[in-house]
Amino acid sequence: MLRTRTAAYLRQNVLNTVCRRHASSASALSVTNLQSRWKSLTDGERTTITDQLRERQKGDWKDLSLEEKKAAYFVAFGPYGPREPFLKTGHGRNLILGIAIAIGVSTGLYALSRAVVPGKPRTLTKEWEEATNERAKENKINPITGVSSENYSGPGYVQSK
């Protein structure tokens, strides 16, 4: 009885080892140089490789080949899909060009507005500001520290020279 159990156990172990080695060699072929081939694979092939690696990782990690470990890391953390770098080669030049265009357009709009709009508004003349001071005194605006206060000696609302 003990011999039959031992023999069955040995047969099962040998079978598992052979299957594991066979699966390892089959998946090693499919994951070889995966980083360079990843974009050319179809979605079905990607799913198959991902499932294969997931199943292999459920076992002992010491049994994984170096290629399988690299492939598992690439599938988990590789620069593809949502983790693909946003900026690629040549984007810096486009960014600089876009900024230069934006500055040029805004400078042009500013120059155009200065050319079209007439001089200073009438509310920025010295006479208008003095009239604003008189109006503030009549309405007793800010009677503690402002124009309406006793012994006020500041310019009030007059800013023009």
Side-chain angles (χ1 to χ4, degrees):
M1 177 122 166
L2 183 60
R3 285 185 185 173
T4 56
R5 284 186 185 172
T6 306
Y9 176 74
L10 285 176
R11 256 185 266 128
Q12 187 63 36
N13 254 355
V14 169
L15 184 62
N16 283 345
T17 305
V18 169
C19 289
R20 205 176 310 142
R21 283 185 186 158
H22 179 68
S24 173
S25 64
S27 65
L29 292 175
S30 64
V31 297
T32 303
N33 203 9
L34 184 66
Q35 297 172 358
S36 62
R37 297 183 305 121
W38 187 258
K39 288 187 179 181
S40 64
L41 295 175
T42 64
D43 288 338
E45 291 171 331
R46 290 179 186 173
T47 305
T48 303
I49 289 174
T50 304
D51 292 342
Q52 259 184 347
L53 288 171
R54 191 174 298 125
E55 286 302 316
R56 290 281 295 138
Q57 291 175 37
K58 286 182 181 177
D60 191 5
W61 276 54
K62 293 176 186 172
D63 293 339
L64 292 174
S65 70
L66 183 60
E67 286 294 322
E68 289 173 329
K69 290 177 184 177
K70 286 180 181 178
Y73 183 84
F74 177 77
V75 168
F77 303 108
Y80 66 91
R83 292 178 300 275
E84 190 169 359
F86 182 72
L87 296 178
K88 295 180 181 165
T89 306
H91 281 205
R93 181 184 51 219
N94 293 342
L95 181 67
I96 298 293
L97 183 64
I99 291 171
I101 289 172
I103 290 173
V105 167
S106 62
T107 303
L109 287 174
Y110 175 76
L112 180 69
S113 69
R114 295 297 290 173
V116 172
V117 174
K120 281 184 170 182
R122 61 188 172 101
T123 57
L124 291 180
T125 61
K126 188 167 186 163
E127 294 80 26
W128 188 280
E129 291 170 347
E130 288 173 349
T132 304
N133 271 350
E134 294 304 319
R135 180 113 169 112
K137 289 177 185 174
E138 289 171 7
N139 291 326
K140 296 185 175 142
I141 295 176
N142 198 357
I144 298 173
T145 59
V147 176
S148 302
S149 64
E150 293 179 25
N151 302 327
Y152 180 76
S153 61
Y157 291 101
V158 177
Q159 302 292 320
S160 301
K161 292 182 180 182

